[in-house]
Amino acid sequence: MPVKEQLPSGSNFTVDLGDGSNTGFAEVVFPPFAVNPDTLVPPLLRLRRAVTGALDLYGWWDNARRDPKGGLRNVTIDLLSRDLRTSVLRWRFIKTRPVSLDYGALDANRPAIVSETLVLAFERLEMGPAPVVLPPWPRVPLSR
């Protein structure tokens, strides 16, 4: 009987903001990748996570706000295999910079997790397989 290859889940991914850290995000929203992009409306990458008290996103956004030519980074997103050990697909966003930072509403009548969303513009995209073993970092073990 042939062995079926398990397809990767869209819920297992890492985001490296260009500083070597694997920052935990809950959602990555890719822009449409047009053949002839409209130069008046650049494609934007959206990264969303729960507010943790960390100031890394704010610091990068603030740096870009103060110095529009500074703060460029290459952001890498890896889609992980089901065992979380290897990257099966990689997106590299080149010369990325923050264009906005948004925080979810604070509402005493509706308790919910507060999110922060970083919106990024980028110069170009590189995409391809990335069959590399990722370094160990805290992961939630898969149930067996």
Side-chain angles (χ1 to χ4, degrees):
M1 184 182 251
V3 177
K4 290 184 180 179
E5 182 179 332
Q6 288 192 343
L7 298 175
S9 166
S11 62
N12 296 322
F13 58 89
T14 62
V15 177
D16 179 346
L17 293 177
D19 57 1
S21 66
N22 283 321
T23 305
F25 284 91
E27 182 180 38
V28 173
V29 180
F30 294 108
F33 301 121
V35 173
N36 296 314
D38 183 352
T39 56
L40 298 178
V41 182
L44 300 174
L45 174 67
R46 289 178 168 73
L47 305 175
R48 184 171 294 122
R49 71 180 184 187
V51 170
T52 63
L55 296 175
D56 55 339
L57 301 186
Y58 171 78
W60 187 20
W61 171 84
D62 189 47
N63 184 36
R65 180 180 62 88
R66 293 174 187 269
D67 181 11
K69 293 183 181 181
L72 294 176
R73 297 182 185 178
N74 295 333
V75 172
T76 304
I77 300 169
D78 283 304
L79 179 64
L80 302 179
S81 62
R82 288 202 178 261
D83 67 3
L84 306 178
R85 292 185 188 173
T86 58
S87 172
V88 295
L89 190 59
R90 173 172 285 168
W91 294 265
R92 286 195 68 223
F93 294 87
I94 309 301
K95 292 189 179 178
T96 304
R97 64 179 173 76
V99 294
S100 71
L101 180 62
D102 177 47
Y103 290 89
L106 304 177
D107 186 345
N109 295 314
R110 296 181 61 201
I113 295 172
V114 178
S115 66
E116 58 185 341
T117 303
L118 182 65
V119 179
L120 303 167
F122 56 94
E123 186 174 293
R124 74 177 196 277
L125 166 71
E126 295 175 355
M127 184 177 161
V132 297
V133 176
L134 297 174
W137 55 279
R139 294 185 178 103
V140 176
L142 296 175
S143 60
R144 295 183 192 244

